[in-house]
Amino acid sequence: VPGPTPRELLPRLRELQQDPLEFLLELARRYGPFVRLPVPGLHVFSIAQPDAVKHVLQDNARNYSKRTLQFTNLALVTGQGLLTSDGEFWLRQRRMAQPAFHRQRIAGFGGAMTGAALRMLERWKAKQDGVLDLDHEMMEMTLEVVGLTLFSSDFSAAAKRMVEATLTALDHVIHKAQNPFGPPAWVPTARNRRFRQALGVLDRAVYRLIEERRARGQPHGDLLSMLLEARDDEGQPMTLRQLRDELITVIIAGHETVASALTWTWHLLAQHPQAEATLHAELAQVLGGRTPTMEDLPRLPYTRAVFEESLRLYPPAWLITRRATGPDTVGGYPIPKGSLLVLSPYITHRQAEAWPEPEAFRPERFLEDARPPRYAYVPFGGGPRLCIGNTFALVEGQLILATVAQHYRLRPADAKPVEAAPLVTIRPKGGLWVRLERR
Ligand code: HEM
C-alpha cells in the first residue's frame, strides 16, 4: 500500500495534530487516495477513493465497527446513542428512531427553523455597527432549532440547562481528542472531575425533562414525543437511559454540523458575487420576500445547489473512522483485522476524477443531470450508518439560507484570510467576522 515511511512521517506528526485537513490532503496528493500510515502496532489507512469508501460504508459495512478513539471518546457523553453504538443494539435503535426523521415529520419543523432565523434577524436589526461573528450566530440559531424540534414549547429554562450541560461535557471530549495522551477519564484529575460534574448536571436535567413529559402524557409532535412513542418489533419502548442517549446525540449531531455548513456557505457566497447574485435572483423570483416553507424548496434548485456545494468544500463531519472487525480487501489492498480506517469527506470531495477543479466553488455541479457519482459525495456518510438527520439538515440549511439571504448580504469584516480549523466540525479559526448589509 502506498504511504510514507516512519522516517518520513515522524517529523510531520505535529502537522497532523495542527492541521489534519492539510496533512491528509497532502498525503492524498502525494500517494493517491489510498494511503497507509506507519503507526507502530496499528494498521492505519486513509481512504478517499469513492469505490473504496462505498465498500467500507456500504458493501461490507458489517465488517466495520465504531470502536475507534473518535467514537469511544464521544460515547463518554452520548453513551449508546445512534452515533456511537454498534451491531444489534444500534440496529434496534435506528429502526425505532427512523420514523421521527421522516420527510413528512420534518415538514412540521419548518416553522421552528425559519422562526429561529427570523428571531436572529430581529437581533441583528438592533446591532449598531453591523459587525458580528457569524460562526457564533449560526451556532446559537441552530441550537435553538434543535431545542425547539426536540422539546417544542418545553424548550424553556430546564431544557436550556440540559443543552448547556451537553455542550460543557462535549468541550471535555474535544479536549481529550486534542490531548490523546492525557490521563483517561477515570483518573480523578481536576478536569476529569469537572467532566463528571457536567455529566451529572446533564443527566439530572435530561431525566427530569423526560419524567415531566411522561407525567404530562401530552403528545407534542416534537422529537421527544416521537422517541417516547417509538416501539421496537416486540412493542417495547426505549428505556430511560436510551432516551437520554438519543436526546443528547441529537443535540450534538444536529447542532454544530448545520451551523458549520451555514457559516461556510455565507463565507463562500461573500467570495463569489456571481453565485450570490444567481441565488438572490432565484429567491426574488420564487419567494418575493416571503418567508419560505418546505413546499417552496423544490422550486429553489440553486439554493439547494449552493448549500450542497458548500457541504462539498467544507463537509462539517470531516472525519469518519472505522475499525475492521475482520480482515478485508479494499481497492485491491489487504486490510488486516483491527485496522483503523480514516475516511475523510474533505479529501474524497477533492478527488479530481470526480470533481474537476476541486477547489473551485461551483454550485452548478449540483444542478440537474450533473450530479456526481454517489460515493464521491459523502457529507452525510453512507450505507446503513447514513446520517439519520440528512433530510432535516438539508431542509434546515435551505430554509435558513433562503430566509436570511433575502434580508442581508454578509461581507467580510476583516481582510485576514479565513482559516479552517477542524475540531468536531470544521470551523473558521477565530470565528467568521462579517459586516451586515441590508438588502
Ligand atoms: C450520523 C453528518 C446533521 C443526526 C452522521 C454521519 C455523518 C453526519 C457524516 C455518519 C457518521 C459515521 O458514519 O460515522 C452530518 C452533517 C450534518 C448533519 C454534515 C449537517 C449538515 C444532522 C442532524 C441530525 C443528525 C440535523 C439530527 C437532528 C445524526 C445521527 C447520526 C448521524 C443521530 C448517527 C446515525 C446512525 O449511525 O444511525 N451525520 N449530520 N445529523 N447524524 Fe448527522
Side-chain angles (χ1 to χ4, degrees):
V1 182
T5 62
R7 279 178 71 147
E8 286 166 329
L9 183 70
L10 210 61
R12 305 193 50 196
L13 282 180
R14 232 183 119 72
E15 218 177 302
L16 169 62
Q17 210 186 10
Q18 281 176 347
D19 193 354
L21 292 178
E22 192 43 45
F23 178 83
L24 289 173
L25 200 56
E26 226 277 294
L27 278 184
R29 276 194 213 111
R30 187 176 305 184
Y31 301 101
F34 205 110
V35 184
R36 177 171 184 274
L37 289 170
V39 180
L42 188 64
H43 298 280
V44 183
F45 300 91
S46 168
I47 298 177
Q49 203 266 332
D51 282 341
V53 172
K54 175 170 181 284
H55 178 89
V56 174
L57 291 183
Q58 183 174 310
D59 302 342
N60 202 17
R62 290 179 74 92
N63 189 50
Y64 296 93
S65 85
K66 289 209 162 185
R67 246 157 264 148
T68 64
L69 203 59
Q70 177 188 22
F71 291 112
T72 45
N73 267 343
L74 195 58
L76 294 171
V77 182
T78 61
Q80 297 238 65
L82 277 175
L83 194 56
T84 39
S85 56
D86 261 323
E88 286 303 311
F89 186 92
W90 163 79
L91 186 59
R92 173 179 177 269
Q93 287 297 106
R94 176 88 187 200
R95 289 207 179 115
M96 287 173 90
Q98 195 74 53
F101 291 90
H102 194 273
R103 220 184 150 76
Q104 271 158 351
R105 295 287 202 165
I106 289 161
F109 299 144
M113 295 166 179
T114 49
L118 291 172
R119 276 186 292 281
M120 178 183 70
L121 295 183
E122 280 304 312
R123 291 197 297 273
W124 286 6
K125 264 195 206 157
K127 198 88 185 117
Q128 290 295 320
D129 60 355
V131 173
L132 42 78
D133 175 9
L134 210 60
D135 181 54
H136 174 81
E137 297 292 314
M138 294 300 115
M139 287 287 273
E140 204 158 286
M141 178 180 49
T142 57
L143 193 56
E144 186 178 335
V145 173
V146 162
L148 287 170
T149 50
L150 274 174
F151 305 115
S152 58
S153 54
D154 289 355
F155 185 49
S156 52
K160 283 194 182 121
R161 255 202 311 283
M162 173 210 154
V163 170
E164 272 160 25
T166 301
L167 299 184
T168 311
L170 187 63
D171 274 344
H172 288 275
V173 171
I174 296 169
H175 178 86
K176 272 188 83 60
Q178 289 172 327
N179 300 279
F181 304 112
W186 52 265
V187 180
T189 59
R191 174 171 279 278
N192 281 342
R193 273 204 301 272
R194 286 204 305 277
F195 179 48
R196 292 279 146 215
Q197 255 165 15
L199 282 181
V201 174
L202 176 53
D203 285 351
R204 282 191 294 279
V206 186
Y207 289 138
R208 189 168 338 118
L209 272 169
I210 299 172
E211 290 302 351
E212 279 171 13
R213 177 66 69 89
R214 269 190 178 151
R216 219 171 317 124
Q218 292 273 25
H220 275 66
D222 55 22
L223 275 179
L224 173 55
S225 60
M226 291 178 212
L227 295 177
L228 277 167
E229 285 157 21
R231 295 291 178 272
D232 69 7
D233 291 345
E234 268 101 56
Q236 293 303 312
M238 292 186 202
T239 64
L240 202 56
R241 175 76 204 189
Q242 283 162 342
L243 281 166
R244 171 224 179 261
D245 291 350
E246 298 307 356
L247 290 176
I248 293 170
T249 295
V250 168
I251 293 171
I252 289 178
H255 151 234
E256 186 178 320
T257 45
V258 185
S260 159
L262 281 165
T263 297
W264 290 110
T265 306
W266 299 122
H267 170 70
L268 289 163
L269 284 172
Q271 312 290 318
H272 298 86
Q274 190 62 50
E276 188 183 50
T278 310
L279 172 74
H280 288 165
E282 178 177 271
L283 295 175
Q285 194 198 352
V286 177
L287 301 173
R290 187 166 52 77
T291 302
T293 66
M294 204 164 129
E295 285 78 61
D296 293 313
L297 297 184
R299 288 182 295 131
L300 296 170
Y302 195 77
T303 309
R304 180 180 171 116
V306 164
F307 193 61
E308 290 188 304
E309 174 70 340
S310 163
L311 284 172
R312 181 183 72 80
L313 281 169
Y314 297 101
W318 61 279
L319 180 70
I320 299 175
T321 53
R322 291 290 190 273
R323 174 90 52 202
T325 59
D328 194 7
T329 304
V330 185
Y333 297 114
I335 300 285
K337 177 180 171 173
S339 295
L340 173 69
L341 270 51
V342 174
L343 314 177
S344 173
Y346 187 88
I347 314 303
T348 300
H349 294 174
R350 280 167 173 74
Q351 294 299 298
E353 297 75 45
W355 306 103
E357 288 186 63
E359 292 295 339
F361 173 68
R362 260 194 233 137
E364 291 73 19
R365 298 182 205 263
F366 287 90
L367 295 176
E368 291 308 320
D369 305 336
R371 295 197 69 88
R374 172 67 187 88
Y375 276 78
Y377 187 63
V378 282
F380 298 108
R385 307 300 299 250
L386 178 74
C387 173
I388 202 172
N390 77 90
T391 305
F392 187 118
L394 287 171
V395 168
E396 182 180 356
Q398 292 172 86
L399 286 179
I400 289 174
L401 182 55
T403 304
V404 176
Q406 288 192 96
H407 293 276
Y408 285 98
R409 234 185 221 105
L410 307 163
R411 289 283 166 261
D414 61 42
K416 273 205 317 272
V418 175
E419 268 182 76
L423 295 165
V424 175
T425 65
I426 309 180
R427 307 269 295 274
K429 218 176 253 177
L432 183 70
W433 289 89
V434 298
R435 184 177 305 283
L436 302 175
E437 267 179 34
R438 268 198 88 89
R439 294 194 51 217

